[in-house]
Amino acid sequence: MHTTTTPATTRTTTSAGRRFIDPNDLICPECRDRALGVPPVYWQVSDGLPVAGFSHPDRTALCRTPAGQIAEPVEVTR
């Protein structure tokens, strides 16, 4: 018996109103430095927060907001 297989194709769909963001367009909203999609090298466990998913180019955590939380990156609009 001979079987044939075809390569699986993957398609990425977005829901209405969602779009993909270029990682190069992300910045820290507090200092306006570029944000990378990698965790910081050093993370204080005593903060009690999960490890951040973004860091500055020098791999430090993004700045804290006035409320004391680690900022989430924002997209630069051009």
Side-chain angles (χ1 to χ4, degrees):
M1 177 174 201
H2 184 312
T3 59
T4 58
T5 59
T6 57
T9 58
T10 57
R11 293 184 184 181
T12 305
T13 58
T14 59
S15 60
R18 289 190 75 187
R19 64 185 176 83
F20 292 104
I21 297 172
D22 185 357
N24 293 324
D25 290 340
L26 295 176
I27 62 168
C28 176
E30 301 301 316
C31 69
R32 302 285 193 213
D33 198 4
R34 187 169 164 236
L36 303 177
V38 293
V41 173
Y42 176 73
W43 186 256
Q44 288 183 309
V45 178
S46 63
D47 283 345
L49 300 172
V51 175
F54 295 91
S55 63
H56 291 113
D58 64 358
R59 299 288 306 272
T60 58
L62 295 183
C63 300
R64 290 188 181 266
T65 64
Q69 298 171 331
I70 300 295
E72 288 291 320
V74 295
E75 181 183 12
V76 176
T77 55
R78 298 176 190 200

